[in-house]
């Protein structure tokens, strides 16, 4: 096995050239075998095997520095830098992360997870190199999907000013998670099919540059000309015109060609972009045929590509998907927006039924929100379906473009709470804090699948900015009998008793039920309230609760700082209530990857830990 000879960084350089192809095959077999067990980002990784090998052959890590955009495609890099054993525990609690992590290896120079950051970080590393007198290469690897993000464009604009080498590798596989969309994608497609022109360009440029004294000048002049010839001579002119040298397109599965191009790129004294074409899912037929399904794969059967376990219950995304279809049917003003996540957010059905009212704007959360604000200003009812952690990107757009104008934009915030295997970068544990401080915003969280549906209907009929947040995974189907109509700002009694009151937000209602059962078994009286609204908080309910309870416990799957509990506590503290408040929430920390149930225990959001804390607080109060 060649892979067994790769135990640390640069071991790949000890292999013979004839070993490269068999090694690529071994890496693919290894990734398929391991990810079929652990799950993970398979298709993107299969696509960059040769690209990563060529980088490790042409550059010297860890002296040279590579920033992986999103970082979900860094598995081969991990394999080539001595982390083979880590794949048994990939994305498990305490195990290897699915993303680059500085704390994991000195070959990971920058942590990623959210898209379109790599060029900015790369420029930072280049400037740091210049100012500290370093000589290392700095490389940012960015996918065609991630290149659609605003930050990438901002960074390109900045990169064009560089006066020293900076290598941007654009990995173009024509896919985001779904098919890549928009003008940039069209532009890249045009260049992919321009190989003839490109060869012509390279040939012509080489010939001209060889002309003593005048050659370089002629090339520069040619590049500047506005004639049609320029189109023919300079593919990648968008980049070239900005002052970024364009090399490519290069076959991303040809190691020789890649190494040659990397060595050429090292000689450029400013920013250079190498356009590499790869196939997402390469080498595993099910992934080649269904790159979206194998983007982030659950454990699967290698022979068939089918998931190992089938879901028996609907998840919240499925419920959202169904209700969007119904809402779209009933109200022509309802339109839906995703930032490159039509599958993950469940909007695909809406897209199929109402293609004219569905918008995939690329990985562009900021634009998505302001675009929605424009749609609302134009009289439509936009639903922005977005993951909690990705909406962090668009904080100012929510505040400045939606909320100041009090526009009716509906935020359907999926993956709110702990998401599990993706870890720190993707945990949706800040949205209650970052949204509840924004005037005019209304925030809801459903306790179960029926309430998600009811809240969506409420949100569409409301007028003003309104968000509802729900977690990744199976939708709770308990408490069906509690389905009182949603009233603005009002919470819901589930069980009304005395002494201890549990007031839970969304996903925590189910946990609060378990907590209450355990408390009742131990002989305590216990009320259970479904908060429903996080903003505004239900002041009327708090007044009621204070009359008959000694302890009010708030429960939320969000960080404590600035969350629901914080606001309730402030309200109670400002009054003369004879009632203590205990906030159960996530600590002021990032939560790493791992199984969600296990993470709940780690952060103290499991029923058992909560019961202990409630009893301690209650007994201390008596
Ligand atoms: C800000 C942000 N929005 C959305 C995502 C979800 N996401 C992860 S990878 C990905 C597609 C990336 O496409 P590309 O860069 O082309 O990489 P590929 O998977 O094709 O290799 C998306 C949308 C993210 N990580 N960050
Ligand atoms: C890398 C990335 O950001 C996405 O691929 C993310 O992992 C998707 O998460 P879900 O599996 O929750 O859709
Ligand atoms: Mg791509």
């Amino acid at each position: 096995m060649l892979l067994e000879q790769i135990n640390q960084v640069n071991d790949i350089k000890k292999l013979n050239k004839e070993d490269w192809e068999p090694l690529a095959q071994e890496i693919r077999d290894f990734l398929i075998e391991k990810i079929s067990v652990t799950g993970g980002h398979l298709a993107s990784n299969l696509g960059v095997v040769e690209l990563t090998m060529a980088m490790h052959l042409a550059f010297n890590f860890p002296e040279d520095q590579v920033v992986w955009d999103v970082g979900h495609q860094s598995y081969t890099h991990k394999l080539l830098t001595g982390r083979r054993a880590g794949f048994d525990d990939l994305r498990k609690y305490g195990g290897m992360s699915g993303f680059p992590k500085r704390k994991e290896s000195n070959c990971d120079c920058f942590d990623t997870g959210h898209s379109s950051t790599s060029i900015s970080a790369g420029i930072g590393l280049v400037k740091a190199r210049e100012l500290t007198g370093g000589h290392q290469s700095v490389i940012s690897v960015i996918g065609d999907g991630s290149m659609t993000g605003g930050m990438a464009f901002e960074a390109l604009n900045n990169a064009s000013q560089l006066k020293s080498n900076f290598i941007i590798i654009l990995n173009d596989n024509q896919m985001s998670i779904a098919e890549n969309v928009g003008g940039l994608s069209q532009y890249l497609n045009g260049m992919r099919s321009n190989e003839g022109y490109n060869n012509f360009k390279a040939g012509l440029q080489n010939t001209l540059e060889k002309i003593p004294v005048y050659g370089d000048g002629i090339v520069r002049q040619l590049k500047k000309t506005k004639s049609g010839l320029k189109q023919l001579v300079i593919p990648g002119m968008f980049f070239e015109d900005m002052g970024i040298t364009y090399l490519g397109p290069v076959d991303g599965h040809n190691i020789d060609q890649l190494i040659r191009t990397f060595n050429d790129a090292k000689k450029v004294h400013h920013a250079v972009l190498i356009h590499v074409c790869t196939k997402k899912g390469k080498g595993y037929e099910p992934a080649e045929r269904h790159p979206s399904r194998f983007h982030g794969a659950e454990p699967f059967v290698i022979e068939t590509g089918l998931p190992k376990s089938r879901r028996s219950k609907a998840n919240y995304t499925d419920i959202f998907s169904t209700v969007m279809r119904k809402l779209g049917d009933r109200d022509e003003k309802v339109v839906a927006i995703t930032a490159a996540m039509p599958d993950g957010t469940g909007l695909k059905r809406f897209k199929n039924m109402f293609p004219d009212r569905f918008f995939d704007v690329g990985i562009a959360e900021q634009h998505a929100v302001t675009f929605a604000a424009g749609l609302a200003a134009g009289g439509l009812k936009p639903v922005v379906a977005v993951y909690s952690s990705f909406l962090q990107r668009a904080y100012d757009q929510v505040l400045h473009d939606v909320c100041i104008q009090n526009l009716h934009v509906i935020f359907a915030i999926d993956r709110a709470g702990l998401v599990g295997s993706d870890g720190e970068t993707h945990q949706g544990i800040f949205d209650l804090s970052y949204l509840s401080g924004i005037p005019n915003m209304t925030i809801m969280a459903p306790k179960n699948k029926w309430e998600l549906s009811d809240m969506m209907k409420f949100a569409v009929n409301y007028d003003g900015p309104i968000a509802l947040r729900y977690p990744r995974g199976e939708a709770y189907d308990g408490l069906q009998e509690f389905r009182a109509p949603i009233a603005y700002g009002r919470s819901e009694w589930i069980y009304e008793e005395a002494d201890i009151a549990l007031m839970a937000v969304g996903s925590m209602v189910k946990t609060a039920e378990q907590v209450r059962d355990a408390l009742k078994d131990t002989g305590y009286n216990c009320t259970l309230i479904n908060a429903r609204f996080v903003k505004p908080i239900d002041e009327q309910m708090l007044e009621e609760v204070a009359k008959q309870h000694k302890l009010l416990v708030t429960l939320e799957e969000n960080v404590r700082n600035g969350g629901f509990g914080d606001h309730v506590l402030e309200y109670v503290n400002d009054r003369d209530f004879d009632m203590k408040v205990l906030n159960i929430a996530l600590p002021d920390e990032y939560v790493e990857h791992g199984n969600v149930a296990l993470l709940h225990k780690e952060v103290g959001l499991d029923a058992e830990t909560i019961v202990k804390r409630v009893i301690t607080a209650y007994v201390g109060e008596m």
Side-chain angles (χ1 to χ4, degrees), residues 7-20:
N7 295 309
Q8 57 183 348
V9 65
N10 293 318
D11 276 355
I12 189 173
K13 290 182 179 146
K14 297 178 192 157
L15 298 183
N16 298 317
K17 199 172 163 184
E18 307 76 68
D19 294 331
W20 293 350

Side-chain angles (χ1 to χ4, degrees), residues 40-41 44 70-73 91 98-99 113-115 177 295-298 317 341 343-345 387 389-390 414-415 419 421-422 425-426 472-473:
H41 289 97
S44 309
V70 182
H72 63 310
Q73 76 292 55
R91 302 176 358 131
F99 297 100
H114 286 194
S115 93
I177 294 182
H295 174 86
E298 296 298 322
T317 310
M341 309 291 286
D343 298 277
T345 58
Y387 288 12
S389 78
F390 301 150
D414 201 329
R415 282 20 173 215
V419 297
S421 328
D422 278 337
T425 50
H426 287 61
R472 189 178 199 274

